[in-house]
Amino acid sequence: AQSVSQHNHHVILSEAASLELGCNYSYGGTVNLFWYVQYPGQHLQLLLKYFSGDPLVKGIKGFEAEFIKSKFSFNLRKPSVQWSDTAEYFCAVNPILTGGGNKLTFGTGTQLKVEL
Amino acid sequence: DVKVTQSSRYLVKRTGEKVFLECVQDMDHENMFWYRQDPGLGLRLIYFSYDVKMKEKGDIPEGYSVSREKKERFSLILESASTNQTSMYLCASSSQARYNEQFFGPGTRLTVL
């Protein structure tokens, strides 16, 4: 079964610092990749997604992620974080399988706290 | 905007009770999902459904069942609630056209005493 690893469980940054959250997955075939964010007290929402094409994808609120196929990675980045970026971030992978049955596998999440 | 609603934000039940969690989506999505979210474990898929009356087991189906009688509604059933089912339960839906981009409801925080 495929797995998704998010190595940073808790990250604390000061405002304006740069952010990079790691995500690695284990599936060797074609994948769709996602980052979801959950702000305090809010529901999970899509931050950005990669289906195909340019491996550098841009999402909402200045976030971007780079798909590196050779490293099985899809790291999330933001050049300058804000206090409002405090949230939990989840990486998710959908392996493209023939015959249907596709579903998302989520990582364990990274709790980001941005301090003023 | 896609809207996924869940019947309760907070629920407290006793061990052995039968529990129903309801989820409704208003965007005519074919796919619907139930997850549980636990600290340090992320989201784990319990069951999903690609169509009315169809269901498939996810990664942790034990102790749960589901029902999908109408396209917009997907119910999660705990036949006999246990304390280890205390968790946050998230429902999601997606369209086949927007392949596997899932939209989530606000969640139900279930406590089993």
Side-chain angles (χ1 to χ4, degrees):
Chain A
Q2 62 272 10
S3 65
V4 180
S5 298
Q6 291 182 244
H7 306 294
N8 310 103
H9 299 296
H10 292 89
V11 174
I12 301 174
L13 294 173
S14 299
E15 266 204 328
S18 64
L19 170 72
E20 182 160 3
L21 301 182
C23 174
N24 289 91
Y25 61 94
S26 64
Y27 184 69
T30 303
V31 293
N32 294 331
L33 298 158
F34 305 83
W35 276 97
Y36 281 84
V37 61
Q38 189 172 34
Y39 298 103
Q42 296 188 25
H43 61 271
L44 213 63
Q45 56 187 286
L46 184 68
L47 199 54
L48 48 75
K49 60 186 183 286
Y50 172 80
F51 287 165
S52 63
D54 188 345
L56 183 63
V57 293
K58 296 191 182 299
I60 60 172
K61 304 186 180 185
F63 285 90
E64 65 179 31
E66 185 174 13
F67 170 47
I68 303 179
K69 189 174 182 179
S70 61
K71 294 185 178 180
F72 300 92
S73 70
F74 190 55
N75 292 355
L76 181 70
R77 300 194 292 249
K78 186 171 184 179
S80 176
V81 295
Q82 299 174 305
W83 178 80
S84 58
D85 293 325
T86 294
E88 191 160 18
Y89 294 81
F90 294 92
C91 181
V93 175
N94 165 223
I96 305 303
L97 307 170
T98 56
N102 299 330
K103 57 189 180 184
L104 287 179
T105 298
F106 282 84
T108 54
T110 296
Q111 188 70 52
L112 170 66
K113 182 179 180 182
V114 179
E115 296 179 330
L116 296 171
Chain B
D1 264 359
V2 176
K3 196 168 183 183
V4 180
T5 56
Q6 296 183 228
S7 50
S8 306
R9 289 302 302 271
Y10 300 93
L11 207 53
V12 179
K13 296 291 182 181
R14 297 207 174 272
T15 302
E17 280 192 81
K18 190 170 186 176
V19 182
F20 293 87
L21 303 182
E22 303 284 341
C23 175
V24 177
Q25 50 93 4
D26 66 358
M27 284 301 292
D28 202 36
H29 283 171
E30 294 85 0
N31 308 323
M32 295 189 75
F33 308 83
W34 275 106
Y35 296 88
R36 62 178 284 175
Q37 182 180 9
D38 299 288
L41 296 178
L43 277 74
R44 293 178 291 166
L45 182 65
I46 304 171
Y47 267 96
F48 59 107
S49 169
Y50 288 130
D51 202 350
V52 176
K53 296 192 185 296
M54 292 181 66
K55 59 185 179 184
E56 291 194 37
K57 293 180 180 179
D59 300 317
I60 52 164
E62 295 79 19
Y64 304 94
S65 61
V66 291
S67 172
R68 194 166 180 200
E69 297 295 319
K70 295 184 178 181
K71 190 175 185 180
E72 68 272 16
R73 188 179 297 269
F74 193 36
S75 302
L76 180 70
I77 304 154
L78 288 66
E79 294 290 341
S80 178
S82 63
T83 54
N84 63 13
Q85 292 179 309
T86 291
S87 185
M88 172 69 85
Y89 290 87
L90 299 180
C91 176
S93 71
S94 71
S95 166
Q96 296 284 31
R98 294 177 65 83
Y99 196 64
N100 255 323
E101 177 182 343
Q102 295 184 16
F103 297 86
F104 284 82
T108 296
R109 171 76 64 186
L110 173 66
T111 301
V112 182
L113 301 175

